[in-house]
């Protein structure tokens, strides 16, 4: 079974600083996809970034980037120049090629002014 | 284009009753998946439908069921409601084909809040 572990239940960061959220996963498959989703207080799940396992290059979306270490089964999210609007729950997710997706327990991020 | 739409947004049911939740995917998306979110269990995968067929299923009892229509709209049903079924139910849609670029990236609706009393 695939499992996703987010070891940091809560984190905080000062506005404009950088923060890294950790995620590890366990799978025996070689073809899969990894995602980070953000869930603000409105509870709307918003896609932050996506990574295909077969791509060695780390994905980047504006202030968000990932450090994908396939051998270590690690997929961390770095948020640069943190903004107050980044305050949310962040979920790491693993998806097999057949669209079966599993989520981690989430990390609650607070950006402080 | 319009996002994933879920109805109703909020509902209260009594133990033993049944409930049906509806989800309209993003236009062109053929895959619809359902998730249950609770404080204790987090986000859990219920099932996924693609072209009217259940393609994946999570570890939930048979009281939880779903279906998908020819227009890709989906419904999920929970029968004989229990207090523990109180949760946010999230629907998500995608193209459903990982062979397409971003074909399996899922987009979520705002959810349906179910309270069982």
């Amino acid at each position: 079974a695939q499992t996703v572990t987010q070891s940091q239940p809560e984190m905080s960061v000062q506005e404009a600083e950088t923060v890294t959220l950790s995620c590890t996963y366990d799978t025996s498959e070689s073809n899969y996809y990894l995602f980070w989703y953000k869930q603000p207080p409105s509870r709307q799940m918003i896609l932050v970034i996506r990574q295909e396992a077969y791509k060695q290059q780390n994905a980047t979306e504006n202030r968000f980037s990932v450090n994908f270490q396939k051998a270590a089964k690690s997929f961390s999210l770095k948020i640069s120049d943190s903004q107050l609007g980044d305050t949310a729950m962040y979920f790491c997710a693993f998806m097999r090629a057949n669209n079966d997706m599993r989520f981690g327990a989430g990390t609650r991020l607070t950006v402080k002014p | 284009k319009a996002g994933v739409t879920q109805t109703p947004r909020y509902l209260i049911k009594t133990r033993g009753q049944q409930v049906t939740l509806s989800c309209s995917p993003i236009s062109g998306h053929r895959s619809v998946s359902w998730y249950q979110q609770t404080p204790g269990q987090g986000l859990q995968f219920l099932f996924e439908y693609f072209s009217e067929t259940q393609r994946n299923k999570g570890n939930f009892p048979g009281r939880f069921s779903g279906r998908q229509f020819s227009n890709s709209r989906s419904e999920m049903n929970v029968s004989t409601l229990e207090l523990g079924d109180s949760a946010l139910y999230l629907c998500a849609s995608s193209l459903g084909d990982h062979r397409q670029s971003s074909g399996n990236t899922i987009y979520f609706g705002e959810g349906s809040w179910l309270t069982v009393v």
Side-chain angles (χ1 to χ4, degrees):
Chain A
Q2 287 73 32
T3 59
V4 181
T5 302
Q6 293 179 250
S7 59
Q8 305 148 315
E10 293 190 30
M11 294 191 73
S12 64
V13 62
Q14 291 296 132
E15 196 175 7
E17 293 189 345
T18 296
V19 65
T20 299
L21 309 183
S22 301
C23 174
T24 58
Y25 57 94
D26 183 28
T27 184
S28 58
E29 305 201 13
S30 59
N31 186 24
Y32 52 87
Y33 305 83
L34 297 162
F35 303 83
W36 279 96
Y37 281 88
K38 164 186 175 181
Q39 188 178 45
S42 68
R43 306 306 290 272
Q44 172 77 57
M45 292 283 282
I46 302 166
L47 175 67
V48 175
I49 203 164
R50 174 181 189 271
Q51 174 84 41
E52 292 93 339
Y54 62 85
K55 289 187 178 179
Q56 292 188 335
Q57 186 174 4
N58 290 324
T60 299
E61 286 288 341
N62 301 312
R63 298 182 295 108
F64 299 88
S65 61
V66 299
N67 183 4
F68 174 46
Q69 301 290 327
K70 190 172 184 178
K73 297 180 182 176
S74 170
F75 183 60
S76 61
L77 174 70
K78 185 172 81 171
I79 306 174
S80 304
D81 185 26
S82 296
Q83 300 176 359
L84 297 178
D86 295 335
T87 292
M89 280 288 286
Y90 285 80
F91 292 96
C92 177
F94 170 99
M95 178 188 276
R96 295 160 58 193
N98 67 352
N99 274 36
D100 183 354
M101 178 176 265
R102 309 290 164 156
F103 287 86
T107 295
R108 185 177 303 279
L109 176 67
T110 302
V111 180
K112 299 180 178 178
Chain B
K1 54 185 175 184
V4 179
T5 304
Q6 292 188 243
T7 57
R9 292 293 318 283
Y10 304 92
L11 65 166
I12 300 174
K13 291 286 188 177
T14 304
R15 272 182 302 175
Q17 287 187 314
Q18 73 166 12
V19 66
T20 299
L21 308 179
S22 180
C23 175
S24 293
I26 292 171
S27 178
H29 283 191
R30 296 168 63 191
S31 168
V32 174
S33 50
W34 289 88
Y35 299 82
Q36 181 197 65
Q37 186 175 27
T38 61
Q41 299 298 318
L43 270 162
Q44 292 187 285
F45 171 72
L46 280 155
F47 30 64
E48 184 233 358
Y49 286 86
F50 181 80
S51 293
E52 302 180 66
T53 300
Q54 188 180 85
R55 192 162 61 170
N56 291 294
K57 188 177 188 304
N59 189 27
F60 276 80
R63 299 186 297 108
F64 293 82
S65 63
R67 60 177 175 169
Q68 186 180 33
F69 303 95
S70 58
N71 62 358
S72 293
R73 191 177 69 84
S74 176
E75 290 181 345
M76 69 162 282
N77 182 276
V78 188
S79 62
T80 319
L81 284 165
E82 301 176 359
L83 295 179
D85 297 333
S86 295
L88 175 65
Y89 289 89
L90 292 165
C91 170
S93 77
S94 76
L95 292 170
D97 184 355
H98 69 94
R99 295 167 299 181
Q100 298 182 52
S101 175
S102 300
N104 59 2
T105 299
I106 69 171
Y107 299 90
F108 285 85
E110 294 181 294
S112 291
W113 285 95
L114 170 65
T115 300
V116 182
V117 298

